[in-house]
Amino acid sequence: MAVAERSAVGRKLRWRYRQPSWPLLSQPRGLAVLIGVVVGGAVLLGVGAAAFTPVRGAELATFGALVACAGLCVEAMRRLGKPSGLTRDLLGAWWLPTVLMLPPLYSLLIPIPVYLLLQFRIRRAVVHRRVFNAASVGAAGFAASTLFHGAVAGDWSQAVALPLAATEVAMSSVQGALLALACCAVFTALNNLAVAAAMFLSGTGTPWRKMLCDREALIVDGVELCAGITAAIVTGLSPLLLAVVLPPVLLLQRSLLFQQLQTAARTDPKTGLLNASTWEAEAGAEIARSRRGGRSAAVLIVDIDHFKAVNDTYGHLFGDHVLLGVATTLTGQLRSSDVVGRFGGEEFVVLLPGADMAEACRVAERLRLRVNRMELKAEGAEVAITVSLGLAVLRVHGDDLVGLLAAADLALYRAKGAGRDRVCLPVVARPEIPAQLGVHGVPHGGAVPSASGAAAPESRDPD
């Protein structure tokens, strides 16, 4: 009887914590609603536009030429390789001519074959992400195309049926080109806002603001817009002339992807931080400079408490969200000169150039408190995340990176043994622990009290 009861309890627990068969169902509710609204809206727009868009041979030929160019770009990505995660490409060079030259219906259709190629020729991604991206591009393109065609026709009711010849004439004038530029900017803004909203609603702590304001991203968007306008003007002359535009777009895309691949080789794919080998190389060089210049430096090892239990309870997908959230919190509280990396598993490492004992302790305590305040939800419930930190200072606990990492690792074990969710120092013969941090009278190093609440000095405030 007891065995039967245990089996029933086991079945209930497995039902409670098992992952949904559809990955979309495991996403935060707000994100699932956004995906449903964008995809559903794109489908409804497509059905409505199809009823009023006449089929013309010239437009089908132009659409086929643009799809072929986009497909060649996808094949070029496949040969070079595409880094994982959020990446930049120049496929907009083919979205934009479709938006400007063809009826709005085609703006909804062109992402479908292109994203199918990305899914089956480049990398298999989660289906709902591919569908959302295609729907986002399509809906943004439809809005911008309707805006452009309505302005050209002078009658919004004719926007969905305006022939290719009318847009060709419009693109040949300066006024039409400026209007096209404005509509392309609308397309880029709408698409980026949809993706940024998805990143925000995912609850992962992803820096979505960087996507909208990052200088490099804005430059890429500008290059993509110029390439798209050029392709649209060439398309108006003859779709065959797209063969002239294709090589420079492929070259620009190759350069862009090569730079991203170089970055990906140095970073951890789940967090965007430096990977272990790159962090060791950069931290080792910084330590050597600090020794030659007689400056101080400190190393922190940050470990997420009970991370295995989080994975076992909420699944590895949520565990990845936790890793990304902690990584984003760490980088948001540090200066650009600090070196942050993922050391493996649930461990992170931070090098603080120029930090003495007092400063390093304050920074470590601030990081601990900030992580504690993270808001992460799983299955509708708030999940508390804490970290333990081990701290070591140059010349006090070690004279090189290897010695500092060993000392910080021992301090981390002390923090775990003392109950976790705290900052600890290694045991040293002559500890240099600031009195204002109050280490509860521990004679040979100890835990920095969580109640101290000491803020980092102004010199270490994030840039």
Side-chain angles (χ1 to χ4, degrees):
M1 191 67 178
V3 173
E5 290 177 356
R6 286 196 298 269
S7 298
V9 171
R11 284 194 298 272
K12 289 180 181 179
L13 289 174
R14 286 194 296 273
W15 173 260
R16 172 71 174 82
Y17 293 120
R18 73 178 184 177
Q19 295 295 311
S21 56
W22 285 34
L24 178 60
L25 299 180
S26 65
Q27 302 301 312
R29 182 176 300 176
L31 178 59
V33 170
L34 175 66
I35 293 174
V37 168
V38 173
V39 174
V43 172
L44 290 176
L45 288 173
V47 172
F52 298 98
T53 304
V55 178
R56 304 185 183 102
E59 293 169 355
L60 289 176
T62 301
F63 180 73
L66 291 170
V67 171
C69 289
L72 290 174
C73 283
V74 172
E75 285 299 314
M77 292 181 200
R78 179 172 175 267
R79 291 181 178 275
L80 183 61
K82 188 176 181 181
S84 60
L86 183 64
T87 58
R88 293 278 178 176
D89 54 48
L90 291 180
L91 289 174
W94 316 115
W95 309 140
L96 298 179
T98 308
V99 167
L100 298 174
M101 306 305 297
L102 300 176
L105 173 64
Y106 291 96
S107 298
L108 290 166
L109 296 179
I110 191 171
I112 297 174
V114 176
Y115 274 96
L116 285 174
L117 285 173
L118 287 171
Q119 180 72 1
F120 294 105
R121 297 290 289 172
I122 301 294
R123 182 184 300 110
R124 297 291 182 96
V126 180
V127 174
H128 71 261
R129 292 180 185 173
R130 289 285 193 213
V131 173
F132 172 77
N133 287 335
S136 171
V137 169
F142 185 91
S145 183
T146 302
L147 181 64
F148 179 75
H149 285 75
V152 170
D155 183 359
W156 296 103
S157 64
Q158 298 298 317
V160 295
L162 193 69
L164 178 60
T167 55
E168 289 174 351
V169 173
M171 288 297 296
S172 63
S173 66
V174 175
Q175 184 179 1
L178 292 176
L179 176 62
L181 187 65
C183 292
C184 289
V186 169
F187 164 77
T188 301
L190 290 176
N191 187 41
N192 284 348
L193 283 173
V195 176
M199 295 167 66
F200 174 74
L201 293 173
S202 66
T204 61
T206 306
W208 57 273
R209 294 180 184 87
K210 185 177 180 181
M211 179 182 177
L212 299 178
C213 306
D214 181 62
R215 179 182 177 183
E216 184 176 350
L218 292 175
I219 291 174
V220 173
D221 287 339
V223 171
E224 188 177 62
L225 192 150
C226 293
I229 292 291
T230 302
I233 294 173
V234 168
T235 302
L237 298 174
S238 172
L240 296 177
L241 291 179
L242 287 173
V244 178
V245 181
L246 182 60
V249 172
L250 287 175
L251 183 61
L252 286 171
Q253 180 175 270
R254 181 181 179 86
S255 300
L256 179 63
L257 288 178
F258 183 74
Q259 180 184 7
Q260 293 179 83
L261 287 168
Q262 282 187 315
T263 302
R266 293 167 39 86
T267 56
D268 170 63
K270 290 187 177 180
T271 62
L273 301 178
L274 297 178
N275 57 33
S277 58
T278 304
W279 184 88
E280 287 183 11
E282 295 197 6
E286 183 61 42
I287 290 291
R289 285 192 291 269
S290 297
R291 291 181 61 187
R292 288 194 300 268
R295 299 187 302 272
S296 182
V299 168
L300 304 177
I301 299 182
V302 184
D303 184 90
I304 302 176
D305 295 329
H306 305 295
F307 185 68
K308 184 179 184 302
V310 171
N311 272 335
D312 292 343
T313 303
Y314 301 105
H316 290 275
L317 183 61
F318 180 76
D320 291 345
H321 291 182
V322 172
L323 290 173
L324 182 57
V326 172
T328 304
T329 301
L330 294 180
T331 54
Q333 295 299 313
L334 297 170
R335 301 187 310 172
S336 58
S337 57
D338 299 328
V339 187
V340 191
R342 184 184 177 200
F343 215 47
E346 66 271 24
E347 285 190 346
F348 302 85
V349 278
V350 182
L351 174 69
L352 305 175
D356 57 13
M357 179 80 75
E359 195 173 356
C361 288
R362 292 191 186 100
V363 172
E365 178 65 6
R366 186 180 68 201
L367 294 177
R368 187 192 69 81
L369 290 174
R370 292 292 183 179
V371 172
N372 283 4
R373 295 171 188 166
M374 282 175 26
E375 295 182 359
L376 294 175
K377 293 184 178 180
E379 301 176 355
E382 192 91 15
V383 179
I385 300 297
T386 63
V387 291
S388 301
L389 297 92
L391 166 65
V393 180
L394 184 64
R395 297 187 185 87
V396 178
H397 306 115
D399 294 324
D400 56 18
L401 182 60
V402 174
L404 289 175
L405 284 173
D409 193 49
L410 290 175
L412 177 62
Y413 275 101
R414 295 189 65 212
K416 290 182 177 181
R420 294 184 170 86
D421 188 19
R422 64 194 64 218
V423 180
C424 275
L425 298 164
V427 176
V428 293
R430 296 173 58 190
E432 300 180 20
I433 303 173
Q436 65 269 28
L437 291 177
V439 192
H440 302 298
V442 179
H444 297 293
V448 177
S450 60
S452 64
E458 184 178 354
S459 62
R460 297 217 65 83
D461 283 344
D463 288 344

